[in-house]
Amino acid sequence: MAEEEPVVRYERNGPTAVVTMNRPNYRNAQNSAMTYALDDAFYRACADDEVQVIVLAGAGEHFSAGHDIGSPGRDVDVDYERRAGLWWGHTDKAGGESRFAREQEVYLGMCRRWRDMPKPVVASVHGACVAGGLMLAWVCDVIVAAEDAFFADPVVRMGIPGVEYFVHPWVLGPRIAKEFLFTGKRMSAQRAYEVGMVNRVVPREQLTDTSLELAGEIAAMPRFGLALAKKAVNQAEDLMGRHSGLDSAFGLHHLAHAHNAEVEQDSLSGMDAKSMKRAAE
């Protein structure tokens, strides 16, 4: 099903590029069309010398409810031009090879690509930030959350150890990460602030202005200095095992998919968007 509106909007606000996910009728669930549109927008912003900072936001009532696992616009069988790595396409492959190739590209690979953008990125989060939505927020350097924002990675209900971009221990700390995954419960914006995952929490009506104000403060710094500072912090995280940890967790993620496909209804253990929402409630 074709989308009536662009799945990602791009606009300039002075030295800030505002990138907005635009599937509000589906809570900004991420299909591949959105993934590659986000990549286009981020590349455009990074290539524009007038842009100093990027703000990532979501249209409608929610930032993002995660990967698209059931909307009419789900496009898992479409073979987009690959950008995040040299793995082959998935559409003419079967079983675990197909799933691994696709998720290596559109999930893990894209998030790694975006995390390494040389320009600072501010996530402006409201409403649901769940599973794949967490991955998008976590590739950003700073997170501003509205008071109504909530965060969750409930995929353990599918028998899967967590989303593909598995940085939970680094952004939450090991014990909070375990509770977060073991229970699948929502974490409030205030709790996310307390554990250091979120930089600021503001009333919903102040979210956009606060995000843009923070972006403006960052934009006043020298571009190359910002790029080097970001790289220095990212390298420090990788020295703490983040990069190799992602590879290890990605393998466990696909072991879970394969196990589900063998003993359950499908690789998601028969769960869909509606059943996941019911379980959360």
Side-chain angles (χ1 to χ4, degrees):
M1 175 178 285
E3 304 281 354
E4 294 182 1
E5 299 285 341
V7 292
V8 170
R9 300 198 308 261
Y10 183 97
E11 58 186 321
R12 278 278 305 280
N13 188 319
T16 301
V18 181
V19 176
T20 305
M21 293 176 282
N22 192 37
R23 299 187 75 208
N25 291 339
Y26 302 108
R27 306 172 80 201
N28 293 320
Q30 304 154 33
N31 56 7
S32 293
M34 176 182 282
T35 297
Y36 286 94
L38 282 171
D39 194 60
D40 287 338
F42 291 146
Y43 193 94
R44 178 180 175 183
C46 288
D48 186 344
D49 283 345
E50 299 301 315
V51 170
Q52 290 280 84
V53 185
I54 303 164
V55 170
L56 176 63
E61 297 301 314
H62 301 280
F63 179 76
S64 176
H67 299 323
D68 189 339
I69 59 173
S71 90
R74 193 181 188 213
D75 54 2
V76 293
D77 296 326
V78 179
D79 197 7
Y80 290 83
E81 182 181 357
R82 293 173 296 284
R83 303 176 190 172
L86 295 175
W87 276 87
W88 46 80
H90 70 282
T91 55
D92 60 344
K93 306 299 187 295
E97 182 179 13
S98 176
R99 284 190 297 274
F100 190 91
R102 178 174 184 268
E103 294 189 2
Q104 180 79 25
E105 167 71 13
V106 299
Y107 295 156
L108 178 60
M110 281 296 190
C111 283
R112 278 179 156 163
R113 175 177 166 92
W114 298 336
R115 184 236 185 183
D116 289 336
M117 284 187 282
K119 296 183 179 180
V121 187
V122 177
S124 185
V125 179
H126 68 291
C129 183
V130 176
L134 275 175
M135 291 167 51
L136 293 182
W138 284 345
V139 301
C140 298
D141 304 294
V142 178
I143 301 175
V144 179
E147 291 173 339
D148 69 348
F150 61 89
F151 305 86
D153 185 2
V155 301
V156 175
R157 292 194 181 97
M158 297 175 173
I160 298 171
V163 289
E164 296 84 355
Y165 186 67
F166 191 89
V167 295
H168 309 59
W170 289 271
V171 298
L172 294 170
R175 294 196 185 280
I176 301 299
K178 288 176 181 178
E179 179 185 357
F180 189 64
L181 289 163
F182 292 172
T183 67
K185 289 183 177 180
R186 296 175 175 180
M187 177 182 287
S188 69
Q190 181 59 34
R191 178 60 171 158
Y193 175 78
E194 291 169 357
V195 300
M197 190 181 84
V198 164
N199 296 81
R200 301 184 185 180
V201 179
V202 297
R204 175 70 182 87
E205 62 273 14
Q206 297 177 19
L207 177 64
T208 299
D209 287 345
T210 301
S211 299
L212 291 174
E213 287 170 8
L214 178 57
E217 292 175 11
I218 295 170
M221 301 292 278
R223 181 178 64 222
F224 192 46
L226 287 170
L228 294 179
K230 175 171 179 173
K231 189 172 183 65
V233 175
N234 285 358
Q235 287 175 334
E237 282 189 307
D238 289 338
L239 288 170
M240 298 174 193
R242 178 168 171 155
H243 191 278
S244 57
L246 277 168
D247 286 335
S248 176
F250 190 67
L252 297 176
H253 182 98
H254 279 274
L255 170 62
H257 274 319
H259 176 75
N260 286 344
E262 187 169 336
V263 304
E264 299 287 353
Q265 179 178 331
D266 55 32
S267 65
L268 300 181
S269 195
M271 302 290 280
D272 58 19
K274 291 182 178 179
S275 60
M276 289 292 284
K277 186 173 185 294
R278 286 196 299 270
E281 293 173 346

